[in-house]
Amino acid sequence: MKQNSAEASCAKSVITTEALPIKLWLEAEQLDEGALEQARDLANLPYAFRHVAIMPDSHQGYGMPIGGVLATRDALVPNAVGVDIGCGMCSLRTSLDAIETADLKAIMGLIRETVPVGAARHEAPQDEAWMPKREGHLPIVASEYDRALYQIGTLGGGNHFIEVQKGSDGHVWIMIHSGSRNLGYTVANHYHAQAKRLNEAEGERVPQDLAHLPATSSDFALYRDEMNYCIAFALANRRLMMERVKQAFAEVLPGIEFSHFINKPHNFAAEEEHFGERVIVHRKGATRARAGEWGMIPGSQGTRSFLVRGKGEADSFASCSHGAGRVMSRAQARRRLDFKEEVKQLKQRGVLHALRGRKDLDEAPGSYKDIDAVMRNQTDLVEVEVVLEPLAVIKG
């Protein structure tokens, strides 16, 4: 049964056919079938708490929809965090009120020289001072630590980006989207495998992709601690890239100043209080949006992004979207989109873009949802503070 939002929730629609309600910040028919089935799986988990929240940018993920929020009692679900633990965004305001195209091209060239993208890593290990301090027993982190020294300060692939933007506040901004690289991937896969083995041994009847670590297991604490290290590493990774970006700006435009650093992960789990209980909130492609809390919601490289403040909406577990969300898969985008048309639209907007060939169409604006529609669906979750128009983009 579909329940109208006015009856019980500020959500756009509510599905009440499962063990727990599914509250969606979009109409149920707007959610792709794969993501809807995954949301139903979440709502039937025996350890799920109160309801499942689905953000307006949601689409099918692995095990759990991207843009999903799951609260649990005494259970951690590695796939409800995802393989890029701590993936998120940071933004920085510059003292510039405008930038010449020639200067912008020079800056982007310098960034490409100092920030490896895609599968590339640094040729030499980076200063260990950038790495988060290791505390306690972190076996997977310890095994990957030396390799992580070569990956800190690297962008990665997929939808990760470095973008220069012009804000409605009159300032030029820098935004970076990246995560924990191979470190988070390795931690995630290890503990998902552990969860599957543990659930199978105990006869748990849950989808394998949503295998969980009960609080009574030793792996629960291990995953929690290693996940938190990966979240800290992802922030350090973004900070080092931002430092390299600042250096590129300063080399081209001496005297520039920077301020208002904002950081927000959107793949993580954290113990929080909701509806009077301490629960573990898993956000996979969702941003925490407590009352007054700053966040970032990017569009695509051809559409605007937003700096927002959260409203602390209870029904979303104080969460909002993490971006525009995909409207088609990467393979579909490469097949269906017109490369020349996508490039034409970016040129018309004056964006120094990252489309070089058909293989890049998976990150073309046409592969994403309408960011303005996404924002209209979450006016109860966030308040827009700054609108950011893209000027130049580097994609992973």
Side-chain angles (χ1 to χ4, degrees), residues 34 38 57 233 275 281 306 320 343 389:
Q38 290 178 334
D57 61 337
F233 175 80
F275 301 99
V281 180
F306 302 85
C320 68
V343 169
E389 298 287 348

Side-chain angles (χ1 to χ4, degrees), residues 244-256:
R244 301 277 159 78
V245 173
K246 288 166 61 179
Q247 290 168 0
F249 268 85
E251 184 170 332
V252 176
L253 299 167
I256 187 172

Side-chain angles (χ1 to χ4, degrees), residues 41-57:
D41 286 342
L42 294 176
N44 291 309
L45 293 174
Y47 44 83
F49 170 74
R50 197 172 179 96
H51 64 265
V52 172
I54 301 296
M55 299 297 99
D57 61 337

Side-chain angles (χ1 to χ4, degrees), residues 94-100 165-167 169-173 256 391:
T94 79
S95 56
L96 302 174
D97 58 11
I99 185 168
E100 297 290 336
Q165 306 155 327
K166 178 60 186 295
D169 61 349
H171 288 273
V172 172
W173 285 76
I256 187 172
L391 298 175

